[in-house]
Amino acid sequence: EFEISLIKDITRSNIADETCFSLDTGMLMFINESCFLQFVKTFDYDELASSSSDTVDFKYWDGITKEYDYNDVALIIGEGENSKYEFKGGGCYKVIH
């Protein structure tokens, strides 16, 4: 099982290789390579992010991911500045193994 604590905040000047990534939404998805094409053909970001009550429409997410195995797709949402994790939202990050 993936631990959110493995996502480490880095400064832009410390981006050293292709394992680093940057986001501006604070939303990160992991998609198994074996189902990537199938998933992206049906996924609609506007549907996911258009919920009126939350930052994410979890009903949409549950509906689109129900056909996949537990380890095939994952959605991680930054908890913001008061998070106990380094992954807070937008920024530059690296997953540490």
Side-chain angles (χ1 to χ4, degrees):
E1 190 167 301
F2 183 81
E3 295 288 330
I4 296 173
S5 60
L6 296 176
I7 303 174
K8 300 297 183 183
D9 190 12
I10 60 172
T11 62
R12 291 187 194 281
S13 61
N14 289 340
I15 296 176
D17 56 45
E18 64 278 353
T19 63
C20 301
F21 59 94
S22 177
L23 356 135
D24 64 353
T25 63
M27 188 182 310
L28 178 63
M29 278 190 267
F30 288 99
I31 306 167
N32 190 323
E33 186 177 12
S34 66
C35 62
F36 180 79
L37 289 177
Q38 178 186 355
F39 183 82
V40 298
K41 285 179 183 177
T42 58
F43 176 72
D44 183 340
Y45 177 81
D46 291 333
E47 288 288 325
L48 180 67
S50 70
S51 173
S52 60
S53 61
D54 295 317
T55 57
V56 172
D57 184 341
F58 288 105
K59 189 173 183 178
Y60 172 77
W61 178 255
D62 290 343
I64 197 168
T65 59
K66 67 182 175 191
E67 65 186 82
Y68 298 100
D69 290 336
Y70 176 76
N71 290 320
D72 283 343
V73 292
L75 177 66
I76 300 174
I77 301 166
E79 295 181 357
E81 290 302 315
N82 296 323
S83 172
K84 65 181 179 180
Y85 301 106
E86 288 188 40
F87 179 62
K88 298 179 184 321
C92 295
Y93 298 95
K94 180 173 185 154
V95 176
I96 306 299
H97 300 208

